[in-house]
Amino acid sequence: MTEERRYMLLTGASRGIGHATVKLFQSKGWRILTVSRQEFSEECAWPSARESHIQADLADLSQIDRLAATVRERLPNGRLHALVNNAGISPKGPEKSRLGVMGTDADVWTQVLNVNVVSTALIARALMPELEAAKGSIVNVTSIAGTRVHPFAGVAYAASKAALGSLTREMAHEFGRRGVRANAIAPGEIETSILSPGTDELVAAEVPMGRLGDPREVAETIYFLCTEPSSYINGAEIHINGGQHV
Ligand SMILES: NC(=O)c1ccc[n+]([C@@H]2O[C@H](COP(=O)([O-])OP(=O)(O)OC[C@H]3O[C@@H](n4cnc5c(N)ncnc54)[C@H](OP(=O)(O)O)[C@@H]3O)[C@@H](O)[C@H]2O)c1
């Protein structure tokens, strides 16, 4: 008997960590469904990238039922083996300045919380039958900014990532008996477009390993959390930051 092809739904695949994660899972034989606001990014040059992409804006929670229905149509056996909630936004002020409490208005709060937290809960809720059928794994992408004040990440971003860490524990608690695991990964400074000017100095001063992380190093941890070697890990948050949190 040939082994069933595994399916992953990954939000925010058009660049950065999401991009690297798709490439790794594809190299291991997985089928990938991707979500982002863009219709399609020409940078996503993996096989069947265009057909497997679903356009949705996760800031608009009314789009999630349609997104889930489209995902469901594309799963041949009704099984979703991994859900990776990676899409995230980190709005900045003028000249990429940090948005503190005084600089953050209600619209920014709503947008950041919808994309970074609320949409992840609603996607998991909508696709629970498919995750349960596969005994699937959820990986939420949090951040070092969720547990300590970060010089570049804004207040809404930091609060959203702390909330996502808490949501991960809630998911692990609630979904464990369904056979669905939920974990988080908390990257530090990873070489992607989300980084701010001044990151090199921050890395030199604060990261014991003295270098940025590579998106591939994050992807490898996500892969571990979605496969058998991590089969008893549930409700964990793994730091991927070269020791920046110590
Ligand atoms: N890079 C780091 O150092 C670092 C550190 C800590 C945590 N993280 C976290 O890691 C995750 C990925 O970060 P990254 O650096 O790879 O980010 P990135 O390069 O900015 O990519 C973000 C992805 O999210 C998608 N996205 C943004 N808003 C969206 C929306 N409203 N609806 C749907 N998709 C949306 C983007 O695609 P579209 O533009 O096409 O929508 C893009 O594919 C994020 O959750 C981030 O907070 C990153």
Side-chain angles (χ1 to χ4, degrees):
M1 252 176 63
T2 52
E3 208 182 312
E4 182 192 359
R5 201 100 194 251
R6 296 200 210 187
Y7 277 74
M8 168 175 71
L9 173 65
L10 183 136
T11 65
S14 46
R15 43 181 196 268
I17 292 169
H19 209 122
T21 305
V22 171
K23 287 189 171 164
L24 178 65
F25 276 67
Q26 277 219 328
S27 75
K28 307 279 188 185
W30 285 57
R31 293 299 301 268
I32 321 292
L33 300 172
T34 60
V35 184
S36 79
R37 285 167 304 185
Q38 295 177 57
E39 191 179 345
F40 180 69
S41 165
E42 294 300 336
E43 281 173 46
C44 300
W46 49 80
S48 57
R50 191 179 288 277
E51 305 84 84
S52 56
H53 185 68
I54 303 163
Q55 186 180 13
D57 182 352
L58 300 176
D60 177 1
L61 302 179
S62 71
Q63 295 190 16
I64 287 179
D65 284 346
R66 178 191 58 82
L67 166 64
T70 309
V71 169
R72 201 165 287 126
E73 277 167 19
R74 298 195 188 181
L75 297 174
N77 302 317
R79 282 196 275 271
L80 180 64
H81 302 84
L83 166 62
V84 179
N85 292 306
N86 166 73
I89 51 170
S90 181
K92 303 278 186 272
E95 289 164 31
K96 289 202 154 194
S97 59
R98 182 179 195 273
L99 287 176
V101 176
M102 299 308 290
T104 304
D105 64 22
D107 286 346
V108 170
W109 272 108
T110 303
Q111 204 186 14
V112 171
L113 289 171
N114 282 356
V115 176
N116 294 8
V117 190
V118 184
S119 68
T120 67
L122 295 180
I123 293 171
R125 179 176 182 245
L127 291 171
M128 187 46 62
E130 289 72 24
L131 284 164
E132 198 169 354
K135 301 279 175 257
S137 182
I138 299 171
V139 178
N140 294 326
V141 181
T142 62
S143 168
I144 191 168
T147 48
R148 53 182 284 190
V149 174
H150 190 280
F152 308 133
V155 62
Y157 179 81
S160 76
K161 293 298 186 178
L164 187 58
S166 170
L167 176 62
T168 304
R169 291 190 293 277
E170 293 290 336
M171 285 178 166
H173 177 76
E174 185 173 337
F175 301 158
R177 290 197 189 277
R178 296 173 182 257
V180 175
R181 296 184 294 117
N183 293 289
I185 54 145
E189 315 303 324
I190 311 299
E191 197 159 5
T192 66
S193 60
I194 216 171
L195 295 180
S196 300
T199 300
D200 288 346
E201 292 75 12
L202 176 78
V203 168
E206 288 195 16
V207 178
M209 290 180 71
R211 65 167 176 87
L212 289 171
D214 188 285
R216 166 89 189 195
E217 294 174 295
V218 181
E220 292 280 3
T221 310
I222 295 174
Y223 185 73
F224 166 70
L225 288 172
C226 292
T227 49
E228 285 70 24
S230 66
S231 54
Y232 199 53
I233 300 182
N234 189 31
E237 185 167 15
I238 298 181
H239 302 285
I240 309 173
N241 60 27
Q244 189 179 359
H245 67 295
V246 298

